[in-house]
Amino acid sequence: MYFAVLVILLHCPSLKAQDDVITINKVELTAPSLKVKNGMSIELTCIVDISKSTSFQMQHAFLFYKDDSLLHNTTSEQNRTRYKISPARFADSGSYKCTVEANRKTKSSNDLDVRVEGLSQPKLTALKREVTEGEVVTLRCEVPEEKPPFIFLFRKLLPNQQFQKKSKQELKENFASVEFPVEEGDRILRFQCTAKVTSAVYSETSEPSNMTIVTVVEPFSHPKLTSKSPWNITEGDRIDIVCTTILVRKYELEILIQKDSRILNSTRGQSSVTYSTIATVEHNGNYTCKVELGRVSKTTSMNIVVAELFAKPILTPSLTDLDENARLSLWCHINGSPKANFSIIKRPPENGILLKTFSNFTIRAQVNDTGSYVCRAEIKGIIKESNPVQITVYAPVSEPVLSVASPSTEMVLGDTLLLRCQSMSGTPPINYTLFRENRLIHTITVFNNTYAEFRDRQTKLNNRREYRCEASNRHSNAKRSSYKMNITVIAPVRNVSFGSLPYGEVEDGGEINFLCVVGEGSLPINFRIFKQNDQKPLFNESRMETRLHWQKKTFHKQDAGKYFCDASNRVTEPMRSNLLTVKVILASWQKGFIALFVLAVIAITASGFWWYWRKKEKGKHPSMEMSGSTAATNSTSEKLPSGPNHYTEFYPGSGYIEDENPVKPTDENKDSGENRHSSQSPASGRRTY
């Protein structure tokens, strides 16, 4: 009885487990809309369908995921639950799913793609609402409750619906800051910004931010440029130009007056600057006043017109290029011929050398009188100079010297000859002309006291070439010519060929003639003949000709091999020829001896063969005779006086046949034997057989 109760108690838990069996049929995630405006709500509902073995209450674990990351979890006995995201932002766009866990079983819904459209309006703030010209405006654009990355676009609004823009990318923060410089003329600045965010699928751009206004304060007024000079300014009058500005606060600004790119006067920390001078025609032009403070600068301009008191003087020379010791005259005058103080000045030096305080000047020109001359005129304290006149006094050129750059007057054919021509005296520029065989090669102009360098390539073989050079300048004397120079042109050795007679073959003990020929090369030429792999030449000699003939009296078998020659002259390293293979063949008497020996061997061999053949034929004849009847054999034997001696005269070895085959003659074939005996030739025997 107790055993039965124990079995029942042990069986009860398993019965309970069988009663609590469930299965999750389906998990579904829904939303009212898959597209949600930015700032609205995303409402997600997770519904689970569970089958149970019995009716009982149980807890469900609902887990909400976004892009496979756990977003929210809750527990409920209901078969559904809701999760709300409010307000929805762009970063909330993504793929959602719901997972339900119940009684150690798990099941997930399908993915639900939700898109949040739009982006929050950014907020723009300025670090300072009032700035001074030359400063910068620092702006900060922020997109609250949104997540990076962002691309912020800042705009500085300008008149006529134009704008300046700057962009900045921010990967970690939801704000960005930029700076805009305050430029001249800016008074009220307006700024806006937008933000752009991009996902893997799409991008969104926000609406423009709030308008931010920044006021600009001028640190100083626009400069004013005035002239205290008379309305009609003439050379000799005093010019006073004044530039002023008004400072809003005390600043370390800088004021300057400039004409073109030249600064005439400047001051720092003051509100005005003045430029004063005695007017000349060079002071005609546009004057600018510029006020600078940091990045800010303001300018104003005015034009000054100065009337000419007298024209620039003119210096006239008798000649600009003249010979040494020639007469040089200079005249200085002014158009309209006003009364003035004249002076004639020579440069260099830069300040000039005063030659005469008068309107004309005459000298006997020397080389050191070469230079630049000006005429200076003065009226009422106004000094003007003429345009400079360049005077060049030419000394005649001396006889030029022609030389070569190399220490030798020998040149290799194909090389470039470097010649130098120089006159030791004479005023440059000097023209140097090179002649070869009275043919003009080239002309070089030298502008200083140095030589002219000519290059002439030696392309033709000519044992001697004659050169000279000429020198001339603008002196009236004739050209000067150098002494003639002879240049020896040496051709390097080229195209070396090697041969023999007889060619390639020589009888043993015979003589051979080697021939080494040079296609081109200046004499003398050194010839050498080598056997291949031998260091010592067989022949070595210098010749005043382009070919070498060398005879070797006796040439033996051990001399066979490959031969070559090389040739060189004083400008060429030894140049090798082709390889010549020389073979040694038998001499004529050796060939005759061998021929006689061969003929003797052939004769002996033929005689032996003939003897052997005759012996073989005679051996066959008795056998043929015995192939007839026995009677015929006996008849033959009776007629011969002696059988063995008789047959030996015609058939060697017949005695051997009689000994081996003894046949007795009979009367019946006696006549037939006589007939056969009458035809003793081997041929008749063959016919009998």
Side-chain angles (χ1 to χ4, degrees), residues 493-499 515-518 525-531 534-543 545-548 563-569 572-579:
V493 172
R494 294 191 179 98
N495 303 327
V496 181
S497 59
F498 189 54
L515 184 63
C516 186
V517 180
V518 173
I525 298 175
N526 189 69
F527 292 93
R528 296 187 301 178
I529 298 177
F530 290 87
K531 184 178 181 182
D534 286 353
Q535 298 296 325
K536 186 177 180 181
L538 301 174
F539 178 86
N540 185 1
E541 187 176 311
S542 182
R543 297 287 183 91
E545 55 184 338
T546 58
R547 59 176 57 211
L548 167 70
Y563 290 80
F564 67 91
C565 74
D566 65 26
S568 62
N569 58 13
T572 312
E573 293 295 326
M575 180 168 289
R576 285 183 53 169
S577 70
N578 55 292
L579 281 174

Side-chain angles (χ1 to χ4, degrees), residues 1 13 85 135 149 156 169 171 194 199 208 216 240 267 284 333 339 393 467 479 551 565 604 621 629 659:
M1 177 181 179
I85 301 173
E135 294 183 344
K156 177 184 177 181
Q169 186 176 19
L171 302 177
T194 57
S199 68
V216 180
D240 293 305
T267 185
N284 276 308
H333 67 280
K339 189 176 181 179
V393 181
Y467 290 90
K479 300 176 181 179
Q551 184 182 66
C565 74
I604 294 171
H621 185 71
S629 61
D659 292 337

Side-chain angles (χ1 to χ4, degrees), residues 36-242:
V36 180
K37 294 290 185 181
N38 194 294
M40 304 299 289
S41 299
I42 299 175
E43 294 185 1
L44 301 174
T45 302
C46 184
I47 305 171
V48 61
D49 180 15
I50 299 177
S51 297
K52 305 177 183 178
S53 60
T54 59
S55 178
F56 61 92
Q57 294 294 324
M58 60 180 297
Q59 293 287 333
H60 307 95
F62 293 90
L63 294 88
F64 291 86
Y65 291 87
K66 176 181 177 290
D67 299 327
D68 296 327
S69 296
L70 182 62
L71 189 65
H72 175 72
N73 68 81
T74 184
T75 304
S76 174
E77 293 183 352
Q78 302 296 323
N79 68 337
R80 65 179 58 202
T81 188
R82 291 183 179 179
Y83 174 62
K84 184 176 182 180
I85 301 173
S86 181
R89 301 301 182 193
F90 181 84
D92 295 323
S93 299
S95 180
Y96 291 85
K97 73 176 179 179
C98 173
T99 300
V100 176
E101 295 179 356
N103 202 18
R104 298 186 300 278
K105 293 188 177 182
T106 303
K107 195 173 185 66
S108 298
S109 67
N110 293 329
D111 289 346
L112 188 68
D113 294 327
V114 178
R115 174 175 175 176
V116 178
E117 297 179 334
L119 199 63
S120 300
Q121 183 182 25
K123 180 181 179 182
L124 181 64
T125 56
L127 185 63
K128 293 170 64 176
R129 289 302 184 99
E130 184 178 286
V131 294
T132 304
E133 285 181 334
E135 294 183 344
V136 295
V137 178
T138 303
L139 301 172
R140 173 188 169 105
C141 185
E142 181 180 5
V143 187
E145 300 182 10
E146 296 284 0
K147 295 181 181 180
F150 294 102
I151 297 176
F152 292 95
L153 183 63
F154 297 82
R155 288 186 177 90
K156 177 184 177 181
L157 305 181
L158 303 175
N160 301 324
Q161 296 182 349
Q162 296 181 350
F163 59 86
Q164 294 177 357
K165 65 179 181 178
K166 288 186 177 182
S167 61
K168 188 173 183 180
Q169 186 176 19
E170 185 58 58
L171 302 177
K172 297 181 178 180
E173 303 292 343
N174 63 349
F175 64 89
S177 298
V178 297
E179 292 181 347
F180 279 92
V182 179
E183 300 174 355
E184 180 184 357
D186 287 341
R187 293 296 176 264
I188 297 177
L189 306 178
R190 295 175 175 82
F191 299 95
Q192 277 187 327
C193 73
T194 57
K196 182 179 180 180
V197 64
T198 303
S199 68
V201 180
Y202 64 103
S203 62
E204 290 287 349
T205 302
S206 71
E207 296 180 356
S209 68
N210 55 296
M211 182 81 69
T212 298
I213 299 176
V214 178
T215 304
V216 180
V217 178
E218 283 187 288
F220 53 87
S221 66
H222 202 80
K224 183 179 180 182
L225 190 62
T226 58
S227 174
K228 296 181 180 180
S229 306
W231 179 256
N232 294 322
I233 304 174
T234 305
E235 285 185 315
D237 294 342
R238 185 175 183 84
I239 297 177
D240 293 305
I241 300 174
V242 181

Side-chain angles (χ1 to χ4, degrees), residues 470-579:
E470 287 184 353
S472 64
N473 59 3
R474 295 181 183 177
H475 194 277
S476 59
N477 286 353
K479 300 176 181 179
R480 301 294 300 272
S481 180
S482 70
Y483 286 107
K484 295 178 181 179
M485 174 180 287
N486 291 321
I487 301 296
T488 302
V489 180
I490 303 174
V493 172
R494 294 191 179 98
N495 303 327
V496 181
S497 59
F498 189 54
S500 68
L501 187 68
Y503 185 80
E505 288 185 351
V506 62
E507 292 184 356
D508 190 13
E511 66 180 26
I512 185 170
N513 295 284
F514 289 108
L515 184 63
C516 186
V517 180
V518 173
E520 182 181 312
S522 296
L523 306 177
I525 298 175
N526 189 69
F527 292 93
R528 296 187 301 178
I529 298 177
F530 290 87
K531 184 178 181 182
Q532 191 178 30
N533 300 326
D534 286 353
Q535 298 296 325
K536 186 177 180 181
L538 301 174
F539 178 86
N540 185 1
E541 187 176 311
S542 182
R543 297 287 183 91
M544 292 298 294
E545 55 184 338
T546 58
R547 59 176 57 211
L548 167 70
H549 175 263
W550 179 64
Q551 184 182 66
K552 185 173 175 59
K553 294 293 185 180
T554 57
F555 203 88
H556 298 290
K557 186 175 182 180
Q558 61 271 21
D559 296 325
K562 294 183 179 180
Y563 290 80
F564 67 91
C565 74
D566 65 26
S568 62
N569 58 13
R570 57 186 181 274
V571 296
T572 312
E573 293 295 326
M575 180 168 289
R576 285 183 53 169
S577 70
N578 55 292
L579 281 174

